[in-house]
Amino acid sequence: MSERAEKTEINYSFKCPICNEGKIEISKVTYDVPDGDKILIIKFECNLCNYSNNDIIPLTTNFTPGIMKLKVSNEDDLKSKIYRSPVGSLEIPELELVVNPGPRADFYYTNVEGILFRFENAVSIYRKNLEKDDAQIKEIDKILKDLGKALKGEFKFTLVITDTGGGSYIIPNDKAKYSFEKFESKELN
Ligand SMILES: [Zn+2]
């Protein structure tokens, strides 16, 4: 994380639910989001296996509505963190992928890579249920191929979150690739 992240505490110790041997370390980080709000990220990490999990608590709720864009062109960008609020829509135009507003818990807090994995999984399941001669298959295979490349940082795309209520945000690994466009109040009416 950036120099603006402030590590407040690291401690202890409960048993890892995955490997049953490691200890889970809990760390809490307060982070200043680009528009001036604060969030608390709680990270759970096993010291033996790869298990880790995040929880996030907004410390201020007055996020600014607008359109957030992140240009993704390498593996480093895939680690940028994403929080989509229930009123935010998430889109990757180059991959024809859209998540509409709604309470989909698994999209609440993740990184770009996590979003691509979920899309890949959903598209694969959709493809399996199609008839062999379905006209959509060609197009879907193209999307799956591009998704595979994207997961290796070899496909350039833009991740767009449109949030009319505020509350969504992107924490970019590379700030130069992030842009935020505030809604004028007339656009909200
Ligand atoms: Zn473990």
Side-chain angles (χ1 to χ4, degrees), residues 15 33 52 66 81 146:
K15 224 201 245 172
V33 204
S52 76
K81 292 177 181 59
D146 289 343

Side-chain angles (χ1 to χ4, degrees), residues 16 18-20 22 46 48-49 51:
C16 174
I18 304 302
C19 69
N20 252 320
C46 177
L48 282 186
C49 72
Y51 173 75

Side-chain angles (χ1 to χ4, degrees), residues 13 35 38 47 70 91 105 117 124 133-134 161 170 187:
S13 111
D35 62 6
K38 268 186 194 298
N47 66 350
L70 179 72
E91 246 180 291
F117 273 128
S124 301
D133 55 354
D134 194 299
I161 296 180
I170 294 172
E187 288 176 66

Side-chain angles (χ1 to χ4, degrees), residues 12 35 57 65 69 76 78 80 86 97 99 103 141 148-149 163 169 173 178 186:
Y12 54 89
D35 62 6
I57 300 165
K69 286 185 186 168
D76 196 43
L78 296 177
S80 298
L97 299 171
V99 183
D141 282 347
K149 280 195 223 165
D163 193 326
Y169 53 81
N173 261 12
Y178 173 77
K186 60 178 186 322

Side-chain angles (χ1 to χ4, degrees), residues 48-68:
L48 282 186
C49 72
N50 285 324
Y51 173 75
S52 76
N53 207 344
N54 288 299
D55 208 348
I56 189 141
I57 300 165
L59 297 177
T60 46
T61 49
N62 190 24
F63 296 96
T64 314
I67 300 172
M68 286 142 258

Side-chain angles (χ1 to χ4, degrees), residues 136-167:
Q136 291 179 78
I137 282 190
K138 213 176 151 193
E139 197 191 338
I140 287 173
D141 282 347
K142 168 87 167 63
I143 289 173
L144 283 172
K145 201 178 148 204
D146 289 343
L147 264 169
K149 280 195 223 165
L151 280 162
K152 287 186 248 165
E154 292 166 3
F155 181 85
K156 287 183 189 176
F157 61 90
T158 315
L159 191 146
V160 185
I161 296 180
T162 306
D163 193 326
T164 53

